[in-house]
């Protein structure tokens, strides 16, 4: 498998694009040297790079593509909308159609406002919570990897250059599943916390009663509960993880699979809070909630409508769970056959799987992750994670298991002989690192991969 054109393009890209990519998780530092640098096209769960190499893909646009690449009904809807123009001086009628379709899916929400990415939605939720409560502090879950590119979140990570110290002090953290820790935050900052923001779940379900207890805690202390459903929305359940877990948050944020890869996201919530961004109230100051020139582009909303209606009428979620479980079962069998249960682990919900890679000492290893990626890529599978789509057929699952089987043979030899004997080029790195490092070839880097098991950051 050759990457001649990709390698040439990489050099050009880094000279005109900081990092060579517009998304950190897609950057060259996240992949081994022997990997496709640029994707040319995709269809279903298959992608082709600029060198013509074909792969079964499991990143699915960082979980944004739930149905499959270039999914025909979604593409048709977007194309039809584009033929009528995509951006006007006044709202387009499709904005109302999309809002009603969304609210029919996310039954706990009463109002919605669309934007383009997850960061805009979560930051708008934070601003709204601060305006409603008159408080400054935001409490976020330290166990969840990413909420926003904005200062209120990035200031909590090692990559906090450029974030004022005064801004950093306005965010506090709590641990997932630990209601006592969250309670202690309110005791430590009485009357100051505007909202708690977290994902409903990640690798495993929340502890019994945890989300309702968190909501009661917020209500008792005058704070709002914000659920980030960028990943869980349209993957845990067609109505979001909030429907699955029986919780109605004050505000919630959606994106990613909502438009099957098209750029659209949403801030949704109860009218009591959302109305502050509107024109009809006189009892409180106005909130400059979201005002994006491209937030309601017609083709993106058309794609979202088509996607949500497919989720409503077809067994998308059931397919994700079924194929994910088949993938997990097959991979665990080959891992066990190679005697690697302590070194390679499949984690997460069947509809959103990931994997962990460990070295001989059992420590998380970027070097072994890079080797695993290198060897699966060599066998025609691109799997920074193990996220299935509606387009992953049985044959794709079978071929993936075969590819992993072959990759694990190399993994086992590398455990005995040293990963540096098999890995071409330096290991991948974590996104949340304070400084860049010169390329080097250590066997182990004790950290967890960003897309496979969550971007690492300090609590």
């Amino acid at each position: 498998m050759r990457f001649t054109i990709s390698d040439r393009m990489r050099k050009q890209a880094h000279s005109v694009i900081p990092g060579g990519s517009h998304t950190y998780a897609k950057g060259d530092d996240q992949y081994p040297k022997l990997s496709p640098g640029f994707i040319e096209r995709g269809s279903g769960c298959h992608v082709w790079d600029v060198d013509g190499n074909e792969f079964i893909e499991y990143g699915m646009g960082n979980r944004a593509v739930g149905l499959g690449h270039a999914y025909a009904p979604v593409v048709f809807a977007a194309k039809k909308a584009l033929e009528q123009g995509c951006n006007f001086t006044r709202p387009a009628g499709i904005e109302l159609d999309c809002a009603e379709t969304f609210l029919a899916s996310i039954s706990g929400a009463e109002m919605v406002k669309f934007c383009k990415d997850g960061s805009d939605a979560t930051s708008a939720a934070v601003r709204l919570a601060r305006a409603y409560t008159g408080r400054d502090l935001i409490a976020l879950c330290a166990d969840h990897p990413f909420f926003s590119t904005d200062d209120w979140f990035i200031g909590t990570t090692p990559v906090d250059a450029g974030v004022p110290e005064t801004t950093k002090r306005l965010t506090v953290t709590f641990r997932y599943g630990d209601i006592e820790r969250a309670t202690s935050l309110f005791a430590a900052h009485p009357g100051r916390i505007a909202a708690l923001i977290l994902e409903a779940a990640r690798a495993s379900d929340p502890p019994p009663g945890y989300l309702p207890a968190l909501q009661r805690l917020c209500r008792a202390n005058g704070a709002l509960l914000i659920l980030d459903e960028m990943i869980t929305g349209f993957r845990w359940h067609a109505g979001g993880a909030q429907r699955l877990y029986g919780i109605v948050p004050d505000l919630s944020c959606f994106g990613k699979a909502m438009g099957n890869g098209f750029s659209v996201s949403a801030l949704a919530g109860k009218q009591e809070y959302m109305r502050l961004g509107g024109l009809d109230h006189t009892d409180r100051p106005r909130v400059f909630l979201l005002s994006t020139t491209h937030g309601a582009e017609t083709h993106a909303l058309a794609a979202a409508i088509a996607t949500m209606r497919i989720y409503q009428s077809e067994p998308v979620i059931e397919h994700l769970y079924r194929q994910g479980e088949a993938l997990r079962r097959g991979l665990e069998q080959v891992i066990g056959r190679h005697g690697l249960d302590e070194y390679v682990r499949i984690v997460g919900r069947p509809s959103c799987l990931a994997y962990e890679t460990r070295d001989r000492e059992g420590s998380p290893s970027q070097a072994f992750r890079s080797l695993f990626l290198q060897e699966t890529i060599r066998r025609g599978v691109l799997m920074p994670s193990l996220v299935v789509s509606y387009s992953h057929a049985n044959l794709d699952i079978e071929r993936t298991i075969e590819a992993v089987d072959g990759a694990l043979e190399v993994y086992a030899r590398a455990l005995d002989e040293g990963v540096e004997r098999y890995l071409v080029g330096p290991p991948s790195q974590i996104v949340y690192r304070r400084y860049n490092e010169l390329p080097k070839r250590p066997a182990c880097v004790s950290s967890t991969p960003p897309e496979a098991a969550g971007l690492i950051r300090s609590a």
Side-chain angles (χ1 to χ4, degrees), residues 32 150-151 229 262 342 432:
D150 292 319
D151 288 358
E229 291 235 42
F262 278 84
E342 296 181 12
Y432 291 147

Side-chain angles (χ1 to χ4, degrees), residues 113-401:
K113 194 154 187 177
F114 299 118
C115 44
K116 279 299 181 190
D117 59 49
S119 293
D120 284 348
T122 55
S123 291
V126 164
R127 184 183 307 116
L128 187 57
R130 282 171 165 162
Y132 182 83
T133 62
R135 301 172 178 180
D136 293 336
L137 293 186
I138 297 296
L140 60 84
C141 182
D143 297 302
H144 296 164
F146 184 78
F147 290 105
S148 175
T149 61
D150 292 319
D151 288 358
W152 65 270
F153 168 71
I154 292 299
T156 70
T157 77
V159 194
D160 59 355
V163 180
E165 289 296 326
T166 52
T167 300
K168 296 177 188 179
R169 289 195 290 269
L170 294 177
T171 303
V172 295
T173 62
F174 61 96
R175 308 311 297 255
Y176 187 76
D178 188 345
I179 195 68
E180 287 76 17
R181 177 71 179 269
T183 302
S184 69
L185 275 183
F186 284 106
H189 308 282
R192 295 194 60 203
I193 297 177
L196 268 61
I197 182 169
L198 73 161
E199 296 179 60
R202 284 191 69 80
S204 57
D205 287 331
Y210 172 65
L211 292 178
L214 206 60
Q215 187 170 59
R216 289 193 298 271
L217 180 65
C218 287
R219 288 175 176 169
N221 288 276
L224 303 192
L225 179 65
I226 305 171
L227 283 189
D228 179 342
E229 291 235 42
M230 293 299 157
I231 292 175
T232 57
F234 303 100
R235 190 162 285 279
W236 262 234
H237 188 286
Q242 55 192 266
R243 175 84 69 83
L244 180 66
Y245 297 130
I247 189 83
V248 179
D250 298 309
L251 300 170
S252 54
C253 305
F254 290 80
K256 290 193 182 286
M258 173 180 158
N260 198 49
F262 278 84
S263 181
V264 59
S265 58
L267 167 63
K270 297 178 181 178
Q271 187 176 29
E272 178 182 358
Y273 315 117
M274 295 290 290
R275 71 184 183 93
L276 300 185
L279 304 177
D280 299 328
H281 69 285
T282 58
D283 57 322
R284 288 174 177 264
R286 294 182 63 199
V287 176
F288 198 78
L289 189 56
L290 281 164
S291 183
T292 52
T293 298
H294 305 290
E297 286 177 314
T298 59
H299 61 287
L301 296 188
I305 291 171
T307 299
M308 288 186 285
R309 287 178 177 168
I310 291 169
Y311 274 80
Q312 291 169 355
S313 62
E314 298 185 30
V316 179
I317 298 294
E318 293 85 347
H319 182 89
L320 300 184
Y321 279 93
R322 182 173 61 252
Q323 298 301 80
E325 188 54 47
L327 181 62
R328 183 206 293 273
R329 185 167 56 249
L331 293 181
E332 288 180 343
Q333 287 175 355
V334 296
I335 290 169
R337 189 160 65 245
H338 287 279
L340 295 174
D341 302 81
E342 296 181 12
Y343 306 102
V344 181
R345 298 173 183 172
I346 309 302
V347 297
R349 201 172 189 83
S351 60
C352 193
L353 292 173
Y355 57 85
E356 297 175 350
T357 53
R358 298 178 181 271
D359 60 19
R360 172 56 70 183
E361 287 69 44
S363 299
S365 170
Q366 290 293 124
F368 274 95
R369 168 178 164 78
S370 300
L371 177 65
F372 192 44
L373 273 169
Q374 172 186 287
E375 295 304 313
T376 49
I377 287 170
R378 202 189 291 269
R379 292 161 175 79
V381 180
L382 183 59
M383 43 179 277
S385 58
L386 290 168
V387 177
V388 295
S389 74
Y390 196 35
S391 295
H392 279 85
N394 292 341
L395 181 59
D396 299 307
I397 302 298
E398 293 168 6
R399 287 178 56 192
T400 301
I401 294 168

